[in-house]
Amino acid sequence: MSTSAVEKSVYEQIGGEPAMAAAVEVFYRRVLEDGRISHFFEDVDMERQAARQKAFLTMVTGGPANYSGRDMRAGHAHLVRQGLNDTHFDAVAGHLKATLEELGVPAALVARVLSIAESARADVLNR
Amino acid sequence: MARVRHESRWYPLEPEESVLDGLLRQGVVVPHACRAGACQSCLMRAVSGDVPEAARAGLKDTLRAQGYFLACACRPAPGSELEVAGAEGLRLRARVVSLEPLSPSVLCVRLATDTPLDYRAGQYVSLVRGDGLARSYSLASLPREGVLELHVRLVPGGVMSGWLSREARVGDVLHVQGPAGNCFYVTGRPEQPLLLAGTGTGLAPLYGIARDALEAGHTGPVWLFHGARTPEGLYLGDALRALAGRHPAFHYRPCVLTGGSRDVAEGALAVLLRAECPRVAGYRAWLCGDSGLVLSLRKKLFLAGLSLKDLHADVFLPSAPRAEAAGAR
């Protein structure tokens, strides 16, 4: 593998923004159908909810996102007060993995995405 | 404390108070209806001062560029000063051309504007009476028809609908402001199946959108589902059956919760929809009317595979604060 291929983000390797647009629909359907976590994703404004999830997918694939750890904390604080915990985080991570697999992303790249997602766990859960 | 200047007088705002609430509280007449940032009846123009971005959400760029904002969603920062003007410049004079009942609970109001309103079939306007009373209604007409057609639900105790049904006369002058809304047909992909579903006067925009698509030469199937509690809540059936007679690709499916018949299915709209259109992935859909139905149908269709970018929803909000009595659209 050449050095440039290693440095390329997963986001770039799987096709950038159009790939995110496809992934967000798959991911959003999966979390809405999962009774363990669907209430965290219910939103009268589905466009806004989809935009947030797209930003999340862009971030964990190493794409152009400007989320800081502080943003992640602030953005999830109200959910933590509603009981958001490790179980929910694991469920979301599971759907992230399944979504990427469904879209045919190679296992090595899926693993890289999941490790980025894992690194956000403490901030998401406000620990 | 923030202050708002309107017609050369200053009005103080309470903390967190919107420009709309502050002006109404102090006796200024500002047309308004939903108070939820959706209907755009309360548009005002900023002459000077800063408008929070939240008060411009959903506005067209042309309106933003002219300084327009939604007074109900505008909460200026403490200590700031904002000079505002009404949206009279956006209103067209409109004369009542006809008032005809479509059913015991729906009135068809046709209006002729002095200059043509530039709109897309399926968008909505605010109807503003001389005294500033405003309500938001969807357009059932097509732009080429010239006359604007609104389907007004007769709301028990409703101020605008009551006035239109009992006191308004042909020739009366009102104003229309708008259009607004993203529920309309866009040409392209003429073979794509279209799904239109709504309850009550949610039929108005759908009737416009369906005819717009058919006239634009849409070749794919066009499904129109109209739901009501009882057969009395349905209307325009003859016109829609005639439309289906002229366009084989157009399918009209009325349904009611009780009192079905040979021509009208009985049961929940979502169930009928799934029976007629079991595979909605790849469809384009428009949902209009009661918020509970629109939001649940949208979720069901999305989960069934319809893409969000092909899913258009227009929730009819009751007017506020008299939500118990008056309804919009």
Side-chain angles (χ1 to χ4, degrees):
Chain A
M1 202 185 268
S2 72
T3 319
S4 65
V6 171
E7 285 171 348
K8 250 187 170 181
S9 67
V10 175
Y11 175 86
E12 287 172 286
Q13 291 187 58
I14 65 176
E17 194 279 332
M20 292 303 116
V24 76
E25 296 231 335
V26 175
F27 179 74
Y28 192 0
R29 282 190 192 106
R30 294 193 71 98
V31 296
L32 272 184
E33 284 179 309
D34 184 340
R36 296 172 295 173
I37 50 172
S38 58
H39 56 290
F40 293 119
F41 294 91
E42 293 283 358
D43 191 334
V44 167
D45 189 341
M46 290 181 78
E47 310 279 341
R48 174 180 61 192
Q49 182 60 233
R52 283 190 190 141
Q53 292 178 26
K54 195 170 160 189
F56 164 73
L57 293 171
T58 302
M59 183 197 77
V60 293
T61 51
N66 37 21
Y67 267 136
S68 66
R70 217 172 115 190
D71 293 333
M72 293 290 277
R73 280 178 179 273
H76 291 87
H78 67 292
L79 299 178
V80 171
R81 283 194 296 274
Q82 292 168 34
L84 183 73
N85 62 34
D86 281 304
T87 324
H88 305 122
F89 187 93
D90 292 342
V92 171
H95 289 302
L96 173 62
K97 178 170 182 282
T99 298
L100 297 170
E101 285 169 353
E102 187 175 329
L103 294 171
V105 176
L109 298 186
V110 174
R112 272 175 67 189
V113 171
L114 289 175
S115 78
I116 299 178
E118 189 55 46
S119 71
R121 184 187 290 261
D123 283 326
V124 166
L125 298 178
N126 278 253
R127 287 200 293 243
Chain B
M1 183 185 74
R3 294 201 306 165
V4 175
R5 186 177 166 88
H6 178 260
E7 291 181 351
S8 60
R9 267 196 61 186
W10 284 102
Y11 298 91
L13 297 183
E14 305 282 352
E16 286 301 299
E17 190 176 39
S18 71
V19 168
L20 177 65
D21 287 338
L23 291 178
L24 292 175
R25 177 173 57 79
Q26 294 168 87
V28 178
V29 174
V30 183
H32 62 280
C34 81
R35 291 194 185 215
C39 77
Q40 302 194 4
S41 293
C42 67
L43 271 177
M44 298 194 89
R45 190 169 55 84
V47 179
S48 67
D50 290 331
V51 173
E53 186 51 34
R56 307 197 297 166
L59 294 190
K60 285 189 295 192
D61 290 344
T62 49
L63 290 177
R64 289 168 167 261
Q66 295 171 78
Y68 284 102
F69 66 95
L70 300 172
C72 73
C74 183
R75 292 177 177 78
S80 65
E81 293 184 340
L82 186 62
E83 183 175 358
V84 303
E88 289 81 5
L90 294 178
R91 289 181 204 145
L92 296 178
R93 226 176 75 101
R95 198 166 36 79
V96 177
V97 177
S98 71
L99 297 154
E100 291 166 23
L102 290 168
S103 79
S105 61
V106 178
L107 180 72
C108 178
V109 177
R110 289 197 178 84
L111 303 161
T113 50
D114 288 353
T115 49
L117 177 72
D118 184 11
Y119 74 99
R120 310 291 300 263
Q123 287 191 294
Y124 54 88
V125 293
S126 292
L127 187 61
V128 187
R129 200 171 66 177
D131 61 354
L133 178 72
R135 290 293 182 270
S136 173
Y137 298 101
S138 286
L139 293 157
S141 48
L142 303 177
R144 66 151 178 85
E145 294 174 317
V147 171
L148 305 179
E149 178 177 323
L150 315 175
H151 298 169
V152 177
R153 183 166 70 95
L154 303 181
V155 181
V159 186
M160 183 68 97
S161 67
W163 177 78
L164 285 168
S165 65
R166 287 190 299 271
E167 294 170 51
R169 296 288 174 262
V170 168
D172 283 357
V173 170
L174 299 114
H175 286 82
V176 292
Q177 182 178 303
N182 301 315
C183 256
F184 51 80
Y185 177 77
V186 178
T187 53
R189 303 178 68 188
E191 74 298 333
Q192 186 178 28
L194 308 183
L195 192 164
L196 303 95
T199 52
T201 50
L203 180 61
L206 301 178
Y207 183 53
I209 294 164
R211 292 186 302 143
D212 190 25
L214 294 169
E215 291 197 4
H218 198 86
T219 55
V222 180
W223 290 89
L224 194 160
F225 296 87
H226 188 208
R229 285 188 189 84
T230 63
E232 292 71 44
L234 297 172
Y235 66 93
L236 223 59
D238 291 345
L240 290 163
R241 287 188 188 94
L243 191 64
R246 293 196 300 276
H247 297 275
F250 177 71
H251 309 282
Y252 167 55
R253 292 291 183 271
C255 71
V256 292
L257 291 177
T258 55
S261 62
R262 190 172 57 86
D263 295 332
V264 177
E266 186 173 299
L269 203 157
V271 175
L272 175 67
L273 203 151
R274 197 165 55 227
E276 296 277 26
C277 304
R279 297 166 61 88
V280 292
Y283 277 50
R284 213 186 313 176
W286 291 265
L287 311 172
C288 303
D290 170 69
S291 69
L293 179 102
V294 166
L295 297 179
S296 85
L297 263 190
R298 182 174 56 170
K299 184 175 158 186
K300 286 193 173 92
L301 291 172
F302 173 63
L303 290 177
L306 216 146
S307 175
L308 270 188
K309 68 177 181 348
D310 285 327
L311 201 39
H312 310 279
D314 191 357
V315 170
F316 287 12
L317 299 170
S319 62
R322 292 174 52 88
E324 79 288 353
R329 288 191 274 154

